[in-house]
Amino acid sequence: MPFLELDTNLPAAQLPEGFANKLSAAAAKILDKPEAKVNVTVKSDLTMLVGGSSAPCVQLAITSIAVVGTAEQNKEHSARFFQFLTQELGLPTDRILLRFYPLEPWQLGKNGTVATFL
């Protein structure tokens, strides 16, 4: 069950139509998870600096069980997320940062229990 949290200083009006849906579909494909299990939050119009600059930027946090736990996995995921974000948002790669967080099944609550028991 991936969770994606995208923060950007871009105004909401500058995000492509249906961007959250596109991000959800891309994440499902990149992480090889059913899109029905992907959770996306997009926050725009934020005050943000990357490298001391307030030029347009994005930070994407990717949290998931089993698919973001190694450097090899994340190197592949990173390339694909960067391709998606640069294409959709028109930002250069130096204005995009990704953070990967592995999640254990016992750390995710759902339906009154934790994912370990689902």
Side-chain angles (χ1 to χ4, degrees):
M1 181 171 285
F3 294 87
L4 284 85
E5 298 175 32
L6 184 133
D7 294 337
T8 184
N9 58 359
L10 290 169
Q14 284 187 4
L15 296 176
E17 180 80 23
F19 178 72
N21 294 74
K22 291 177 184 179
L23 179 57
S24 178
K29 187 173 182 181
I30 292 167
L31 300 174
D32 195 27
K33 296 281 189 174
E35 189 173 359
K37 295 193 177 208
V38 176
N39 302 280
V40 172
T41 302
V42 175
K43 298 177 193 169
S44 59
D45 299 289
L46 299 173
T47 301
M48 293 176 60
L49 298 175
V50 169
S53 169
S54 63
C57 61
V58 165
Q59 294 181 24
L60 177 63
I62 303 122
T63 305
S64 190
I65 297 171
V67 296
V68 296
T70 69
E72 292 77 20
Q73 287 173 318
N74 293 342
K75 181 179 178 185
E76 183 177 326
H77 300 328
S78 183
R80 295 176 74 192
F81 276 114
F82 268 87
Q83 180 180 13
F84 171 80
L85 291 169
T86 56
Q87 182 178 357
E88 289 294 320
L89 300 177
L91 296 177
T93 58
D94 68 336
R95 302 304 300 159
I96 300 169
L97 293 172
L98 306 181
R99 295 182 312 238
F100 295 96
Y101 297 101
L103 185 65
E104 296 296 328
W106 55 267
Q107 294 174 310
L108 175 62
K110 185 175 179 184
N111 294 333
T113 186
V114 293
T116 303
F117 302 106
L118 295 176

